[in-house]
Amino acid sequence: MKPKNRVFIATSIDGFIADQDGKIDWLHDIPSAEGEDMGYAQFMAASDALVMGRNTFETVLGFDIPWPYEKPVFVLSNNLKTVPEQLQDRVQIVSGPLEEVLAGIHQQGYQQLYIDGGKCIQSFLAADLIDEMILTTIPVLLGSGIPLFGELEQKLKFDCRESKVYFDSVEQRHFVRKREI
Amino acid sequence: MKPKNRVFIATSIDGFIADQDGKIDWLHDIPSAEGEDMGYAQFMAASDALVMGRNTFETVLGFDIPWPYEKPVFVLSNNLKTVPEQLQDRVQIVSGPLEEVLAGIHQQGYQQLYIDGGKCIQSFLAADLIDEMILTTIPVLLGSGIPLFGELEQKLKFDCRESKVYFDSVEQRHFVRKREI
C-alpha cells in the first residue's frame, strides 16, 4: 500500500480545535452512545504509527491516564530531547525537514501515518504532505480559539468522498487530496 | 410558521467565503451537473425575503446581470441612502438595531428570511438571531481570505441534521440552532 498521511480530528463549526483558553471541554459536550466512537478505532487500526507535535504529546502526557496509544508515536520537535523512561520503547523524537522525517519513519516500516495536533497538521499541509482528512464537526460556534488550519503558500484541492451525521447532531467528512496529474 | 432566519452559503474547507483578494472564482472550480443546484432553488422558494449587507448588495449590482432576486431584498446599511431607480420596488434599505429591523420586516409579512453576506451573517450570529445554516463546503484549503464566521460573545450550539455529498466532491451540511430551554 502506498504511504499515506492522514488526519483524524474534531473542530467546532468555525474551525477551532481548542477554545481561546486552550480548553477542549466543548469537544465532549455532545450526544453520545455507548460503543459509537465515530470511526476512531477503525481509523487507528488502519494506522501504523502516529506523528504529533510537542504540544499534543505534552497534552496527552498531562491527562494523567495510562499512555493511550498502542501504535508507535513520533513526536516532531526540535526542542524536546528526551521522553519519560516508561515511554522510551513507544515514543521517538524526530526533527528536521518533514520529507526526511517521513523517509526515516517509512524506513522503520511505518507507512500509514496518523498526523495529529494543530501545528503538526499545519506543517504537513504547508508542505502538501496530507493525503486524507477525516474532520468531525462538533456543532458549536466558539467565536474564537486555536484554529485547525493555517496559512498556505498555495491552495490545496480535495474531494469530499463521504459525510455522515452521528447522533442527529455531529457531522463527519472524509476529504481526499486531489493532486494535479 | 414561526419566523426564521436562515443562512445558505458556501465556504472553503478552512471557512473562507472569498480569498484574500476578495475573489470567489474558486467557488465555481468544482464539478457540476446540469440541473443540480445543490438545493438553492428549494431554499429560495422557502424564503419570503432576503436580508444582506451593503457589500453583498453592491457585489451583486456589479455582476452586470439582470437583478437576480424575485423575492424582496432588504439591504442592511447605515450609509447607503438610495438604490438604483429600477430596483426601488424590489429593494429596501434598512438600518438600526437588528431586532427592530426584523420587527419591521415581519410587519410587512415576510417571516422566512434568507440572511446573506459575511458581515450581515456575523451580525445576526452575534445577536443569536440565526436559526438554521445550510453550509456548502467547496473542497479546497485557501490558506487565507475573508472568513464566514467572526467573534462571538457567547458560544452558540447547533445540531447537524443532515449532510450530503454532491458530485463525489462538494459537501453540504444543515445546522439547526439548539437553544437552551
Side-chain angles (χ1 to χ4, degrees):
Chain A
M1 211 191 296
K2 202 180 145 233
K4 269 190 195 161
N5 300 323
R6 304 192 305 157
V7 166
F8 188 103
I9 202 163
T11 74
S12 64
I13 300 173
D14 41 1
F16 298 113
I17 56 173
D19 70 16
Q20 60 184 350
D21 305 316
K23 287 187 184 162
I24 56 168
D25 53 311
W26 53 275
L27 276 176
H28 306 288
D29 189 18
I30 56 170
S32 65
E34 206 164 326
E36 178 55 79
D37 70 351
M38 297 190 277
Y40 180 77
Q42 191 187 353
F43 181 86
M44 189 62 99
S47 301
D48 298 329
L50 292 87
V51 181
M52 60 178 64
R54 175 184 165 179
N55 286 344
T56 305
F57 176 60
E58 291 183 340
T59 300
V60 174
L61 280 182
F63 282 156
D64 199 25
I65 52 166
W67 183 243
Y69 303 114
E70 292 181 16
K71 305 287 171 100
V73 170
F74 294 88
V75 179
L76 195 62
S77 174
N78 291 317
N79 300 314
L80 202 65
K81 298 299 171 199
T82 59
V83 297
E85 202 179 321
Q86 72 276 17
L87 293 178
Q88 287 184 355
D89 57 344
R90 299 175 153 215
V91 175
Q92 294 178 49
I93 299 164
V94 288
S95 65
L98 283 187
E99 283 81 357
E100 289 174 24
V101 166
L102 280 176
I105 296 173
H106 294 161
Q107 275 181 353
Q108 293 187 45
Y110 309 116
Q111 309 286 325
Q112 306 301 313
L113 304 181
Y114 176 177
I115 312 301
D116 202 19
K119 281 187 190 169
C120 183
I121 293 168
Q122 288 185 12
S123 300
F124 273 73
L125 282 170
D128 192 12
L129 289 169
I130 293 295
D131 301 293
E132 298 186 22
M133 301 191 293
I134 296 172
L135 304 181
T136 303
T137 307
I138 308 300
V140 63
L141 287 174
L142 294 179
S144 60
I146 299 170
L148 172 57
F149 296 111
E151 293 199 9
L152 298 171
E153 283 189 19
Q154 52 170 347
K155 66 182 184 182
L156 301 176
K157 292 183 187 180
F158 288 79
D159 281 318
C160 184
R161 293 300 187 194
E162 194 183 4
S163 75
K164 276 186 200 173
V165 176
Y166 292 94
F167 319 120
D168 211 21
S169 177
V170 178
E171 185 265 359
Q172 189 178 78
R173 297 173 286 177
H174 189 156
F175 290 101
V176 176
R177 177 79 172 102
K178 185 183 178 182
R179 293 194 168 85
E180 313 296 331
I181 298 164
Chain B
M1 210 190 298
K2 202 177 145 236
K4 269 189 195 163
N5 300 322
R6 305 192 306 157
V7 167
F8 188 104
I9 201 164
T11 75
S12 64
I13 300 173
D14 40 2
F16 299 113
I17 55 174
D19 71 16
Q20 59 185 351
D21 304 317
K23 287 190 184 158
I24 55 169
D25 52 311
W26 53 275
L27 276 176
H28 306 288
D29 189 18
I30 57 170
S32 65
E34 204 164 326
E36 178 55 79
D37 70 351
M38 297 189 278
Y40 180 76
Q42 192 187 352
F43 180 86
M44 188 63 97
S47 301
D48 298 329
L50 291 89
V51 181
M52 60 178 64
R54 176 183 163 180
N55 286 343
T56 304
F57 175 61
E58 291 183 341
T59 300
V60 174
L61 279 183
F63 282 156
D64 199 23
I65 52 166
W67 183 243
Y69 304 113
E70 292 181 16
K71 306 285 170 107
V73 170
F74 295 88
V75 179
L76 195 63
S77 174
N78 290 316
N79 301 314
L80 201 65
K81 299 298 170 201
T82 59
V83 298
E85 201 179 324
Q86 73 277 17
L87 292 179
Q88 287 184 355
D89 57 345
R90 299 174 155 217
V91 175
Q92 294 178 48
I93 299 164
V94 289
S95 64
L98 283 187
E99 284 81 356
E100 289 175 25
V101 166
L102 281 176
I105 295 173
H106 293 162
Q107 274 180 354
Q108 293 187 45
Y110 308 116
Q111 310 287 325
Q112 307 302 312
L113 303 180
Y114 176 179
I115 312 300
D116 202 19
K119 281 188 189 167
C120 183
I121 292 168
Q122 288 185 11
S123 301
F124 273 75
L125 282 170
D128 191 12
L129 288 169
I130 293 296
D131 301 292
E132 299 185 23
M133 301 191 293
I134 296 172
L135 304 181
T136 302
T137 307
I138 307 301
V140 63
L141 286 174
L142 294 179
S144 60
I146 299 171
L148 172 57
F149 296 111
E151 293 200 8
L152 297 172
E153 284 189 18
Q154 51 169 347
K155 67 183 184 181
L156 301 177
K157 292 183 188 180
F158 288 79
D159 282 318
C160 184
R161 295 297 188 197
E162 194 183 5
S163 75
K164 276 186 200 173
V165 176
Y166 292 94
F167 318 121
D168 211 22
S169 178
V170 178
E171 185 265 359
Q172 188 179 77
R173 298 174 286 176
H174 189 157
F175 290 102
V176 175
R177 175 80 172 104
K178 185 184 178 182
R179 292 195 168 84
E180 314 295 333
I181 299 164

